[in-house]
Amino acid sequence: MAAAKKAVLGPLVGAVDQGTSSTRFLVFNSKTAELLSHHQVELKQKFPKEGWVEQDPKEILQSVYECIERTCEKLSQLNIDISAIKAIGVSNQRETTVVWDKYTGEPLYNAVVWLDLRTQGTVETLSKRIPGNNNFVKSKTGLPLSTYFSAVKLHWILENVRKVKKAVEEERALFGTIDSWLIWSLTGGPNGGVHCTDVTNASRTMLFNIHSLEWDIELCEFFEIPMTILPNIRSSSEIYGLMKAGALEGVPLSGCLGDQSAALVGQMCFQDGQAKNTYGTGCFLLCNTGQKCVFSDHGLLTTVAYKLGRDKPVCYALEGSVAIAGAVVRWLRDNLGILKSSEEIEKLANEVGTSYGCYFVPAFSGLYAPYWEPSARGIICGLTQFTNKQHIAFAALEAVCFQTREILDAMNKDCGIPLSHLQVDGGMTNNKILMQLQADILCIPVVKPSMPETTALGAAMAAGAAEGVGVWSLDPEDLSAVTMERFEPQINEEESEFRYATWKKAVQKSMGWATGQPSANGVP
């Protein structure tokens, strides 16, 4: 029986899905896109000062090894031969910045996470140096100057961490986003590890020219970043190197996409105008604009969507980024203690079915798209003596939906063609209350694939389709049809518009909080 089962499966592809709050390793059947097994490890975040968010790069790497080993054990228990795994893809939290020693493999500082706000002063100083009539940073990168992107984090580290400065002078330092740190470590680290990144992750550093697809000398000089520490730029689908340790030693690492690009691929959004929204720690709405670089007039980012092979064309996307989505649930659980588990929020919200006029703007890291307002801070308003934790839980879910609505409105204005439905994925989409609320607030159907692991699936597709691997066909007729769950709007448009208008009033009240505070630089 075991032999028959093995015969049915055909080639398998693994995917590392390294997110902000957890790491997972998932294994898919390359012929059917069926998820066969996976393992997940939750990660710690460190908050050494107010507004600072860090992670331990070694803990992240260790979690990847653990997830791979445990998934392989689970496959063996299912009588599935792990030698059928022909390739591994990597998808990762983007913008998070790591600097390490190329001779010892040791990180020289904690990873500075994308959410981190310590560079607010750096951004203010740098923005004064951009000529008003020529925002060369935005025109070359598609990004607004913000604490969000890697260049300002790296600039801060080089200025403030003596150990890193010394390593750069001694030509021992390497920089990378999480994908680079993982690929370098998994392919041998100090013993021949491959120092590379793909175009999607490179496009989030603010050092990468999205037109020439190369590191940009002018940008590196502006941010005072030595080009010698930067990784080599590769496509999102090619063999980078081989696994050097563990159960999958010798298997090629052949796919790499920033998590939001991976979800776009996993959702099969290969046509111009197709869009998806991922609900993770943050919320990210991407719309494929094909081979055209579309610049936004409404606060969205222009980014690289994917380049699925060395000789394949690059495709671009418009992106709306929300800093806090799933993170608000974690905050209610860990900081306020009103949830025992993240899943409990659905039950609490369901008990009341309304926020009873309470509005929650979770601007913990300022506001991202479409405002780009770092001075905003979180507020809960509209409270009365009647308000209880159920109402706050409901308002937190509504906040995720309102933030998505703001981005969708901006995207519709930029693209000129309103979306007829929204494709969704990510951990929070298991929450049926949230999905129904989202349809109600957008006034369009929300469509969710029955297998929500689209980020990992996208990384697996890129890895399996790489030249030299060739076990996954990306031809439209070969792609498996995905079963979908639909959520139709159930409230009338007037009520939806009224709630949205009130939310926008709350957003205005959240702005301008962090200006001129003595503690703006963070207190221990």
Side-chain angles (χ1 to χ4, degrees), residues 129 131 134-137 139-140 206-207 209 215-225 227:
R129 289 172 34 200
N134 172 25
N135 188 343
F136 68 95
V137 176
S139 60
K140 287 182 178 211
M206 236 177 188
L207 301 170
N209 187 314
W215 299 124
D216 189 286
I217 294 167
E218 187 184 12
L219 290 169
C220 289
E221 285 173 355
F222 177 72
F223 289 107
E224 299 169 336
I225 307 293
M227 293 183 83

Side-chain angles (χ1 to χ4, degrees), residues 438-465:
Q438 189 67 86
D440 290 347
I441 287 165
L442 296 180
C443 305
I444 57 172
V446 166
V447 180
K448 176 196 161 191
S450 55
M451 198 286 291
E453 305 296 352
T454 47
T455 302
L457 178 61
M461 288 164 68

Side-chain angles (χ1 to χ4, degrees), residues 219-330:
L219 290 169
C220 289
E221 285 173 355
F222 177 72
F223 289 107
E224 299 169 336
I225 307 293
M227 293 183 83
T228 50
I229 69 175
L230 302 179
N232 292 316
I233 294 163
R234 311 279 284 271
S235 78
S236 312
S237 177
E238 59 179 89
I239 295 175
Y240 313 114
L242 306 179
M243 287 286 286
K244 283 285 158 38
L248 298 180
E249 191 174 347
V251 175
L253 281 158
S254 55
C256 177
L257 291 150
D259 50 11
Q260 303 315 319
S261 286
L264 195 72
V265 170
Q267 284 267 32
M268 325 283 177
C269 293
F270 294 125
Q271 306 296 316
D272 288 22
Q274 284 187 302
K276 66 89 208 166
N277 196 28
T278 299
Y279 298 76
T281 298
C283 225
F284 303 89
L285 182 53
L286 266 70
C287 180
N288 190 333
T289 62
Q291 292 174 47
K292 297 189 300 293
C293 231
V294 176
F295 280 83
S296 171
D297 296 320
H298 301 94
L300 303 181
L301 312 177
T302 305
T303 198
V304 175
Y306 50 79
K307 184 182 191 304
L308 294 172
R310 251 181 290 205
D311 308 320
K312 295 288 194 309
V314 67
C315 285
Y316 296 95
L318 274 174
E319 171 173 337
S321 323
V322 168
I324 304 292
V328 75
V329 182
R330 201 167 168 159

Side-chain angles (χ1 to χ4, degrees), residues 36 42-43 54 98 252 257 260 328 361 430 435 465 499 507:
L36 299 173
E42 197 165 302
L43 293 169
E54 297 178 358
V98 189
L257 291 150
Q260 303 315 319
V328 75
V361 182
N430 292 327
M435 292 295 94
R499 279 156 62 179
V507 170

Side-chain angles (χ1 to χ4, degrees), residues 122-394:
T122 314
V123 167
E124 285 159 16
T125 307
L126 288 169
S127 54
K128 288 181 187 132
R129 289 172 34 200
I130 297 177
N133 59 348
N134 172 25
N135 188 343
F136 68 95
V137 176
K138 180 105 193 266
S139 60
K140 287 182 178 211
T141 66
L143 311 173
L145 191 55
S146 161
T147 58
Y148 182 17
F149 307 106
S150 314
V152 284
K153 301 180 196 300
L154 185 52
H155 177 95
W156 185 93
I157 292 169
L158 291 169
E159 279 208 324
N160 293 281
V161 184
R162 197 172 294 120
K163 202 171 163 186
V164 171
K165 212 183 293 187
K166 192 165 181 287
V168 170
E169 285 160 10
E170 294 171 2
E171 299 185 354
R172 290 184 287 113
L174 295 178
F175 151 78
T177 40
I178 294 293
D179 56 306
S180 300
W181 162 242
L182 293 180
I183 291 171
W184 184 83
S185 302
L186 297 172
T187 56
N191 305 309
V194 179
H195 189 216
C196 69
T197 189
D198 90 300
V199 287
T200 68
N201 281 294
S203 78
R204 313 298 294 190
T205 60
M206 236 177 188
L207 301 170
F208 177 78
N209 187 314
I210 59 174
H211 311 286
S212 67
L213 304 184
E214 291 171 338
W215 299 124
D216 189 286
I217 294 167
E218 187 184 12
L219 290 169
C220 289
E221 285 173 355
F222 177 72
F223 289 107
E224 299 169 336
I225 307 293
M227 293 183 83
T228 50
I229 69 175
L230 302 179
N232 292 316
I233 294 163
R234 311 279 284 271
S235 78
S236 312
S237 177
E238 59 179 89
I239 295 175
Y240 313 114
L242 306 179
M243 287 286 286
K244 283 285 158 38
L248 298 180
E249 191 174 347
V251 175
L253 281 158
S254 55
C256 177
L257 291 150
D259 50 11
Q260 303 315 319
S261 286
L264 195 72
V265 170
Q267 284 267 32
M268 325 283 177
C269 293
F270 294 125
Q271 306 296 316
D272 288 22
Q274 284 187 302
K276 66 89 208 166
N277 196 28
T278 299
Y279 298 76
T281 298
C283 225
F284 303 89
L285 182 53
L286 266 70
C287 180
N288 190 333
T289 62
Q291 292 174 47
K292 297 189 300 293
C293 231
V294 176
F295 280 83
S296 171
D297 296 320
H298 301 94
L300 303 181
L301 312 177
T302 305
T303 198
V304 175
Y306 50 79
K307 184 182 191 304
L308 294 172
R310 251 181 290 205
D311 308 320
K312 295 288 194 309
V314 67
C315 285
Y316 296 95
L318 274 174
E319 171 173 337
S321 323
V322 168
I324 304 292
V328 75
V329 182
R330 201 167 168 159
W331 182 81
L332 289 174
R333 183 191 74 186
D334 297 347
N335 292 34
L336 291 198
I338 67 173
L339 305 173
K340 290 192 182 65
S341 69
S342 297
E343 292 69 38
E344 201 186 325
I345 193 165
E346 186 172 5
K347 181 173 150 291
L348 281 186
N350 195 32
E351 283 167 8
V352 284
T354 172
S355 68
Y356 202 77
C358 165
Y359 286 82
F360 191 160
V361 182
F364 301 155
S365 295
L367 287 167
Y368 285 8
Y371 301 101
W372 299 104
E373 184 50 76
S375 71
R377 285 296 175 272
I379 62 167
I380 303 175
C381 57
L383 300 173
T384 68
Q385 283 180 305
F386 182 69
T387 311
N388 60 29
K389 65 180 184 180
Q390 281 94 333
H391 297 127
I392 291 171
F394 193 95

Side-chain angles (χ1 to χ4, degrees), residues 399-432:
V400 175
C401 301
F402 286 131
Q403 290 180 106
T404 299
R405 166 79 190 264
E406 291 197 291
I407 287 172
L408 198 69
D409 283 359
M411 207 161 268
N412 287 341
K413 285 173 194 158
D414 278 327
C415 296
I417 308 162
L419 283 182
S420 58
H421 65 275
L422 182 65
Q423 288 177 231
V424 300
D425 58 74
M428 286 187 90
T429 61
N430 292 327
N431 184 325
K432 286 189 163 32

